[in-house]
Amino acid sequence: MSGRPSRQRKTCIASLTESQRLGLVALIEDNSDDIMTMLDLSSTGDVSDQATMLTKLQEVMGVNCLGCEALLGRFFSEEMLRSYCLTRMGVSGKGTVPVLAARIAKAWQKPSFKPQPCARTIASTVEPALQEHASSHEASIRPARTSKRVLSKDERDGDTDAKRHAVEAPDIKPSLEARTNL
């Protein structure tokens, strides 16, 4: 037997708080195709894909000793982070990758963090209800009222601010001719 230790690495999975796990799951839901490609995984199209991606991201964090902010800043695109900020957190999507990653990680640190529902999830639950409501109430739909702007006395008489405050532009043509004759 040799005295050399095995060089095989043990998989180290980073531990996440519940709010960080919810945040990563929401990010995975929104960008599953890109994350699958990034992690070199093949898609089966079910929920187990999301669990697999979450586990793989935790492994990446553990092996590289990364926190959530470093993971987001190093491996995710600006467009992904911007979209997540706007749709899932309801905050500004302005900033560079490190700024967006810090903004997201700061929100994930709060134990009360819950991502907003995915737009696809909302559309799939709300749209059928809206269609059902619209079909049952088609006869009761009235056109929307339009607001009318009240005109001032001057506007009714045809006198506008442009006419009252018009300033004549000076004629600069003679001065240009004078300069060319010199």
Side-chain angles (χ1 to χ4, degrees), residues 151-164:
L151 300 176
S152 69
K153 184 178 182 236
D154 291 337
E155 289 175 321
R156 285 190 304 253
D157 296 338
D159 185 20
T160 62
D161 288 341
K163 287 181 183 176
R164 276 187 275 148

Side-chain angles (χ1 to χ4, degrees), residues 34-122:
D34 295 330
I35 295 172
M36 283 285 221
T37 304
M38 183 172 64
L39 295 171
D40 291 330
L41 298 173
S42 59
S43 175
T44 60
D46 60 358
V47 178
S48 66
D49 285 346
Q50 291 179 359
T52 303
M53 285 187 274
L54 180 64
T55 304
K56 290 291 184 184
L57 287 174
Q58 285 179 292
E59 287 176 9
V60 168
M61 291 172 69
V63 168
N64 294 309
C65 298
L66 300 175
C68 287
E69 183 177 345
L71 175 79
L72 295 172
R74 191 178 293 178
F75 296 106
F76 291 89
S77 70
E78 185 175 345
E79 184 56 37
M80 282 185 203
L81 299 177
R82 178 178 291 123
S83 172
Y84 184 84
C85 283
L86 293 171
T87 59
R88 290 304 192 110
M89 291 175 39
V91 297
S92 173
K94 293 182 180 179
T96 60
V97 171
V99 169
L100 294 170
R103 187 176 299 148
I104 293 169
K106 184 177 179 182
W108 288 357
Q109 287 177 350
K110 298 175 185 172
S112 62
F113 175 77
K114 298 255 189 284
Q116 295 177 356
C118 178
R120 285 178 264 166
T121 306
I122 292 172

